[in-house]
Amino acid sequence: MPSLWRPLRTPAFRNLLIADIVSDIGTFMQSVGAAWLMVSLNAGPMYVALTQTASALPFFVFALPAGALGDIVDRRKLILYTEFWMAIVALALTVLAMTGFISPLTVLVLTFALSAGDAFETPTWRALLPELVSKEDLSAASALNGIEFNFARAIGPGLAGLVIAAAGVGTAFLLNTVSFIGVIFVVARWKRATHKRSTPPETVKGATIAAIRYVRYSPPISTLLARSGLVMFFASGLLALLPSLAHIVKNEPTVYGVLLGCFGLGAVFGALIMQRARARWPTEVVVSAGVTIFGLTSLAASMVRSLPALSAVMIVAGSAWIVFISIFNVLVINHTPDWVRARVLAISTLIFQGAIAAGSVAWGAVAARFGIGAALLYAGAGTLATTALALFLRLPDAAVDLASWSHWRSPATGTGALPADDDFGPVLVTVEYQVTSEEAAEFLKAVRQHKRIRRRDGARRWDIFRDMENADRYVETFIVASWAEHLRQHERLTRADRETEERVQRYVHSEPKVRHLISVATTMP
């Protein structure tokens, strides 16, 4: 197992990580400043609460189109545009705060605009990770990203409090504005390898549909997302109730900051431990151990009421949290090809944040009815129970070759009678196989595996037929929305799909005949 620090040897990753630390500290300072500004403007508790909503809502509204854009445009340019957007919005917030021309509604609108930029950038940023480090270093790089974020979460709020007390909330906003400069500078200087596109570009709508279809027909991805969502629903109880728990332990605003800092410190320890644990035990064991430990910390938090003991609990909780978060992120990246990676990561974020939001509401309601101790007890028990998911939602193998494997012959368009526009369709593709009756049963078992691959990569419908007049002839059919989508389908096959293809060909006794039929409704006047 590579060292946790080995990805730092890569200049591009190291520079981006350092710039991101500064930027994330600025982001947490902005969040504290916005909440404090609302209080200073006597906006009332509703506006203060809506500040968090304005920060979180863009990740739900823009997640899918953001992921689509991250796959169909230049990722480096998209990050630059979003960084410039966020810097301009942060500057506007700074100027308005310093001049006094600001209202609660303005704070909400600008907070939403700032978070919208982050929402569009996040899937693309995560999708770039395999381009920055080798596959062997992905786990360590993901852990370092987790350490960076938790370090910023531990430092940012406290630093914001000091800056606001000494120089005012406008200065905190100004520091957040300046924090974007480092990321812009590093990304602008990064010479990303160019990726030539040999197929027609996708639209945002088509790319979004393709992402949903890919997740649905990719068992490893759907398993990972389902399992992470269930774990997050129960695990969210501890973090959601931590402010109330801090208030019970000691009614001072610094207590919550101390507990968050301990959580971030624990994440650093957890990343260090995780590398050694993964070198010694299987991934399933490490993840289940992380979930178990986090569940136990929730149970402990339901009973502990002293600050030193609760701080120790949060250190352990942070260690367990970073273990399963980092591993889940790496597994999603490892099982997603480049053409759809940003979109799948966007769906992953949507499910992750949705599970946390739903869990926070649920455990808040339980706490309101039965008390914080009881809510943490139930949340901890539920987290422990999710370890049973390993019995039927097992984590996929980490070693998957997703390099493109376009073994199909390029489809021809005949005499040129078809329209020049690649968007005509739908297209019916048929593949004829000659199979002996003795091998028919095994062939059908094998060819039905094609359904998942064809549907995953672009087919709207799929079926297999047997010729009534020739018992040895079978016809596989699938329908694709357009000719352009079928061309893209050719490039979406991976080397991991090769085993399925070879299993089918084992029972076929002549070269399969492939035909492409276009709907006459779109090609004839």
Side-chain angles (χ1 to χ4, degrees):
M1 181 64 64
S3 165
L4 173 66
W5 313 110
R6 198 171 79 173
L8 296 178
R9 298 176 185 175
T10 306
F13 175 79
R14 181 178 64 247
N15 294 337
L16 282 170
L17 187 70
I18 294 172
D20 209 24
I21 290 174
V22 176
S23 182
D24 280 347
I25 290 175
T27 298
F28 280 107
M29 291 180 69
Q30 188 275 334
S31 298
V32 172
W36 180 259
L37 184 58
M38 284 294 196
V39 175
S40 302
L41 294 172
N42 298 316
M46 176 59 73
Y47 272 101
V48 175
L50 285 176
T51 304
Q52 296 299 317
T53 303
S55 297
L57 187 59
F59 286 91
F60 290 93
V61 176
F62 301 124
L64 292 179
L69 283 175
D71 284 326
I72 63 179
V73 303
D74 187 302
R75 289 171 179 166
R76 174 180 165 275
K77 291 182 179 178
L78 180 59
I79 289 176
L80 277 176
Y81 292 150
T82 55
E83 286 290 323
F84 273 115
W85 166 263
M86 289 187 286
I88 292 171
V89 174
L91 180 61
L93 187 58
T94 301
V95 172
L96 291 174
M98 287 185 166
T99 57
F101 293 101
I102 196 162
S103 66
L105 182 59
T106 305
V107 175
L108 288 179
V109 171
L110 292 178
T111 299
F112 181 90
L114 196 61
S115 187
D118 195 16
F120 272 96
E121 180 187 74
T122 297
T124 301
W125 191 277
R126 293 173 62 194
L128 281 177
L129 197 58
E131 297 184 33
L132 297 172
V133 299
S134 65
K135 190 171 184 179
E136 294 75 18
D137 287 335
L138 270 178
S139 178
S142 180
L144 287 171
N145 279 335
I147 290 174
E148 172 271 314
F149 181 80
N150 282 284
F151 177 80
R153 176 161 58 182
I155 298 298
L159 184 59
L162 294 175
V163 170
I164 292 171
V169 69
T171 304
F173 290 155
L174 178 61
L175 291 175
N176 180 43
T177 304
V178 174
S179 72
F180 291 108
I181 295 176
V183 178
I184 292 173
F185 178 77
V186 172
V187 175
R189 285 173 55 87
W190 177 36
K191 303 300 182 182
R192 182 180 181 237
T194 57
H195 297 267
K196 294 184 178 180
R197 193 187 302 274
S198 59
T199 55
E202 298 177 83
T203 64
V204 173
K205 179 181 177 181
T208 302
I209 294 172
I212 296 172
R213 182 177 58 230
Y214 187 90
V215 170
R216 180 181 176 186
Y217 290 101
S218 178
I221 296 298
S222 55
T223 296
L224 284 168
L225 297 186
R227 188 164 169 182
S228 64
L230 289 170
V231 172
M232 284 302 103
F233 176 82
F234 292 100
S236 64
L238 179 58
L239 291 178
L241 298 175
L242 189 59
S244 300
L245 187 60
H247 180 76
I248 293 174
V249 171
K250 198 170 185 180
N251 188 16
E252 292 182 7
T254 56
V255 173
Y256 180 53
V258 168
L259 294 177
L260 278 181
C262 290
F263 189 87
L265 180 63
V268 176
F269 293 149
L272 295 171
I273 296 170
M274 179 182 65
Q275 294 302 107
R276 297 179 181 178
R278 292 198 69 189
R280 186 171 181 179
W281 294 296
T283 300
E284 186 69 66
V285 173
V286 177
V287 169
S288 295
V291 174
T292 299
I293 292 171
F294 194 88
L296 292 174
T297 60
S298 296
L299 295 179
S302 70
M303 297 176 282
V304 171
R305 290 297 178 267
S306 71
L307 182 58
L310 191 57
S311 297
V313 168
M314 293 309 297
I315 289 175
V316 177
S319 300
W321 177 271
I322 198 67
V323 167
F324 61 80
I325 291 297
S326 294
I327 292 178
F328 270 116
N329 284 338
V330 170
L331 287 174
V332 170
I333 290 173
N334 280 339
H335 285 82
T336 308
D338 183 71
W339 69 269
V340 74
R341 184 176 296 132
R343 282 169 274 183
V344 171
L345 289 171
I347 295 174
S348 174
T349 300
L350 190 63
I351 291 175
F352 184 89
Q353 295 292 343
I356 289 180
S360 298
V361 172
W363 301 120
V366 173
R369 183 173 179 82
F370 301 105
I372 293 176
L376 287 171
L377 185 66
Y378 298 147
T383 304
L384 290 173
T386 61
T387 57
L389 295 173
L391 298 176
F392 50 93
L393 288 177
R394 295 195 62 81
L395 297 178
D397 185 3
V400 178
D401 190 352
L402 296 180
S404 180
W405 182 60
S406 183
H407 74 291
W408 289 356
R409 292 192 305 271
S410 297
T413 54
T415 60
L418 296 175
D421 185 2
D422 288 323
D423 286 331
F424 62 82
V427 176
L428 170 65
V429 181
T430 67
V431 185
E432 298 181 11
Y433 304 97
Q434 289 294 327
V435 183
T436 63
S437 57
E438 293 80 9
E439 297 175 311
E442 293 300 319
F443 165 77
L444 290 174
K445 289 180 183 179
V447 81
R448 286 193 177 101
Q449 295 298 316
H450 269 177
K451 177 179 181 179
R452 175 182 58 80
I453 296 174
R454 307 291 199 224
R455 294 298 305 269
R456 182 199 68 191
D457 291 346
R460 297 197 302 194
R461 289 188 343 198
W462 179 95
D463 214 329
I464 182 75
F465 297 90
R466 183 179 183 182
D467 193 333
M468 294 292 291
E469 298 175 356
N470 183 351
D472 293 342
R473 181 169 173 265
Y474 292 83
V475 181
E476 177 192 9
T477 69
F478 56 95
I479 295 177
V480 190
S482 67
W483 184 250
E485 186 69 358
H486 181 57
L487 294 177
R488 289 189 283 266
Q489 194 179 21
H490 274 249
E491 292 195 342
R492 291 171 179 172
L493 277 172
T494 68
R495 290 177 183 171
D497 301 323
R498 186 169 187 167
E499 182 181 350
T500 299
E501 183 71 21
E502 290 176 346
R503 191 182 304 121
V504 170
Q505 295 301 325
R506 195 177 302 155
Y507 306 105
V508 178
H509 297 284
S510 62
E511 183 72 16
K513 296 180 181 179
V514 182
R515 292 184 175 85
H516 301 85
L517 294 85
I518 193 74
S519 171
V520 295
T522 59
T523 58
M524 300 294 289

